[in-house]
């Protein structure tokens, strides 16, 4: 199975930007859709962005649409989340996830594996 490790989180002011990376290791020869999730204290884990294996199809939750961009480099076994115009409500631990299939996955139950997470804190 694939091991996922997130990086790139940190503390940023409102309106700032961060770029998160998710590096995959292990059995990376299989083709999967990928996604980014976040979980704030006391809140449910939320799927914020998804991408198909090819990268041609993408999904964003309404609250981040126009501000976040998901991308991937299959040659490097890495998925990225570019986050611009950050708001305090974006504060959460961000996780990358592996989907069951090759296609774009828009629901949490379509993912079966997550990394350890990276903290993103946006101050006002």
């Amino acid at each position: 199975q694939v091991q996922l490790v997130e990086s790139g989180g940190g503390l940023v002011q409102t309106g700032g930007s961060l770029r998160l990376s998710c590096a995959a290791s292990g059995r990376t020869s299989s083709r999967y859709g990928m996604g980014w999730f976040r979980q704030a204290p006391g809140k449910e884990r939320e799927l914020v962005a998804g991408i198909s294996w090819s990268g041609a199809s993408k999904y964003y939750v309404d609250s981040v649409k126009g501000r976040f961009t998901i991308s991937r480099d299959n040659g490097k076994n890495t998925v990225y989340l570019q986050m611009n115009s950050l708001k305090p409500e974006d504060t959460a631990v961000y996780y990358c996830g592996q989907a069951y299939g090759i296609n774009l996955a828009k629901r949490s139950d379509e993912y079966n594996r997550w990394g350890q997470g990276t903290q993103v804190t946006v101050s006002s």
Side-chain angles (χ1 to χ4, degrees):
Q1 296 186 21
V2 175
Q3 302 291 322
L4 305 174
V5 180
E6 301 92 340
S7 62
L11 175 64
V12 65
Q13 292 185 337
T14 297
S17 298
L18 287 171
R19 184 176 177 86
L20 307 183
S21 297
C22 173
S25 62
R27 187 184 171 185
T28 59
S29 59
S30 298
R31 299 176 178 181
Y32 303 103
M34 297 292 291
W36 283 96
F37 299 76
R38 66 186 181 189
Q39 188 166 28
K43 302 292 181 63
E44 298 291 324
R45 186 177 297 186
E46 175 188 34
L47 175 64
V48 297
I51 187 169
S52 63
W53 175 81
S54 70
S57 299
K58 299 177 181 180
Y59 163 81
Y60 301 97
V61 70
D62 287 345
S63 61
V64 309
K65 191 173 184 179
R67 300 188 297 119
F68 291 10
T69 302
I70 188 171
S71 62
R72 67 190 299 164
D73 186 335
N74 291 334
K76 297 181 179 179
N77 297 316
T78 303
V79 182
Y80 305 95
L81 185 67
Q82 178 67 48
M83 305 186 295
N84 299 326
S85 302
L86 283 163
K87 306 174 181 179
E89 49 263 46
D90 295 318
T91 296
V93 177
Y94 282 72
Y95 304 86
C96 63
Q98 176 185 288
Y100 284 104
I102 190 174
N103 298 319
L104 177 66
K106 300 179 180 180
R107 304 191 310 272
S108 295
D109 61 7
E110 295 182 87
Y111 295 82
N112 66 348
R113 195 171 189 88
W114 290 266
Q116 292 292 105
T118 184
Q119 176 71 49
V120 172
T121 303
V122 185
S123 65
S124 59

